[in-house]
Amino acid sequence: MSEKKIMVIGSSNTDMTVVADRLPVPGETVLGGKFAMGPGGKGANQAVAAQRLGGNVSFICKVGKDIFGENAIRHYNNEGMDTTGIMLSEQPSGVALISVDTHAENCIVVASGANGDITEADIESHRKEIEAASILLLQLEIPVEAVVRAAKIGHEAGVYVVLNPAPACDLPEEIYQYLSLIIPNQTEIALMTGIEARDEEGAAKAVEALRSKGVQDVIVTMGSKGSMVYHQGQATFVPSKKVNAVDTTAAGDTYCGGLCVALSEGKDIIEAARFATASSALTVQKRGAQDSIPYRKDIIL
């Protein structure tokens, strides 16, 4: 396990997943699905991924005073991460309703609950823990104001600040100057910049638009194709591993967690992207969110 602390601040959900032959269109009911329930949430997924892949992880989130929250805290403790930053809310714990088809495509509806109750004051109360981290990993399933405050605290303390801008939303211009690395997918970077990133040329233009806002480095994840890493003015394509994908849920989260672990171990950003790619390739071969996240011993580069 790396000695460098990875701080993850984000959402904690309980995922309720139905696997069916196809995804329904609006107004349609599809019968014959199989149901499963398990832990999820982008923040929690990335924290669990980083922990399982060898990171030294602290997780800050907010859960409700209900059975879902109790189970979540017990689960994170069992994973071995530092859970002293987990807060309790009067709101119910977050839940996500996930539909997955036989082609591994999914659609997700999230009821944020306690995740939406994280305030700037909550983040400020954990200032010392954030400042003591080496890497701060953030997403956008909690209020943007809280994300910005965390990024600012981390940046001012010299922490390496990583943002996975998912789900995509309007971000205040202020946040970009606090980011060491941003990891959008093709859809997210297009929504953020107004520039389509279907190919290398389009991705490069979109990346420059982000870099002009103050971001140091950018990685654009491109699903089954791989990822484009933009570091110090150089673009490097890291191809994906060809596997039989059955469920893409948590693949991006595993990528982000794995990347931060590799960086915490002193790997350069290209090596880190290769490690993250190998990690996410294992995730898509199993169903579920955290149930599909691999362990360090499983990774083959």
Side-chain angles (χ1 to χ4, degrees), residues 144-296:
V144 171
E145 296 81 8
V147 175
V148 173
R149 177 62 67 90
K152 183 177 182 181
I153 291 172
H155 172 74
E156 291 177 346
V159 178
Y160 189 87
V161 181
V162 181
L163 174 65
N164 173 220
C169 67
D170 290 331
L171 289 173
E173 291 295 312
E174 173 191 2
I175 194 173
Y176 293 103
Q177 63 185 303
Y178 306 139
L179 304 180
S180 307
L181 171 66
I182 190 167
I183 312 176
N185 63 23
Q186 290 168 288
T187 300
E188 290 153 1
I189 198 169
L191 290 171
M192 294 168 71
T193 65
I195 301 171
E196 294 293 335
R198 294 195 180 99
D199 52 26
E200 186 174 339
E201 181 180 0
K205 291 179 180 178
V207 165
E208 282 309 307
L210 285 184
R211 284 174 52 81
S212 69
K213 297 174 183 288
V215 181
Q216 295 178 30
D217 292 328
V218 182
I219 296 178
V220 182
T221 56
M222 307 173 77
S224 60
K225 297 177 184 177
S227 57
M228 290 295 301
V229 181
Y230 297 84
H231 174 61
Q232 295 182 348
Q234 297 293 320
T236 304
F237 179 67
V238 178
S240 65
K241 292 181 176 293
K242 303 305 177 185
V243 298
N244 179 30
V246 298
D247 184 358
T248 57
T249 306
D253 295 330
T254 300
Y255 185 100
C256 293
L259 186 103
C260 289
V261 170
L263 291 174
S264 76
E265 294 174 346
K267 294 181 173 63
D268 65 39
I269 196 167
I270 304 302
E271 292 177 305
R274 293 191 180 110
F275 179 79
T277 298
S279 302
S280 61
L282 290 177
T283 301
V284 301
Q285 296 179 69
K286 294 177 66 177
R287 297 198 184 279
Q290 289 169 40
D291 290 341
S292 69
I293 295 172
Y295 291 84
R296 183 61 172 260

Side-chain angles (χ1 to χ4, degrees), residues 4 103 270:
K4 293 183 177 180
H103 300 289
I270 304 302

